[in-house]
Amino acid sequence: ASNKPDKAYNNFKASLDIRTSLNDKTGMARCYNDIAAFYLGQKNYQKAADNARVALTQARSAQSREDIRRSLE
């Protein structure tokens, strides 16, 4: 059970790598938001904030209002 957080993070990172290779800005924003939420759950607030900022940048680049909103929650 102790490796579940590592597995979750690895899955988020693998998804981000795929989205990045496709230059899918909306998908990248969503992945960074997922990673931010992961870090928030781990109480690593600095990494959560850092990933939320990157998510916001990607969402703005994609002009995705839904993902911009999600990045600001």
Side-chain angles (χ1 to χ4, degrees), residues 2-51:
S2 64
N3 68 346
K4 281 188 179 181
D6 291 337
K7 185 173 182 181
Y9 175 81
N10 289 339
N11 288 339
F12 292 140
K13 183 69 172 94
S15 180
L16 176 60
D17 291 344
I18 291 167
R19 299 295 185 173
T20 300
S21 73
L22 298 172
N23 198 32
D24 176 2
K25 303 267 188 218
T26 300
M28 291 164 63
R30 291 176 184 172
C31 290
Y32 279 112
N33 272 321
D34 289 340
I35 293 169
F38 168 81
Y39 280 124
L40 192 60
Q42 297 292 307
K43 298 186 179 358
N44 188 332
Y45 303 116
Q46 185 61 55
K47 284 191 177 183
D50 292 346
N51 280 279

Side-chain angles (χ1 to χ4, degrees), residues 47-67:
K47 284 191 177 183
D50 292 346
N51 280 279
R53 275 190 286 276
V54 176
L56 180 58
T57 299
Q58 295 299 331
R60 284 180 173 156
S61 178
Q63 299 180 342
S64 171
R65 289 184 180 180
E66 177 185 339
D67 293 299

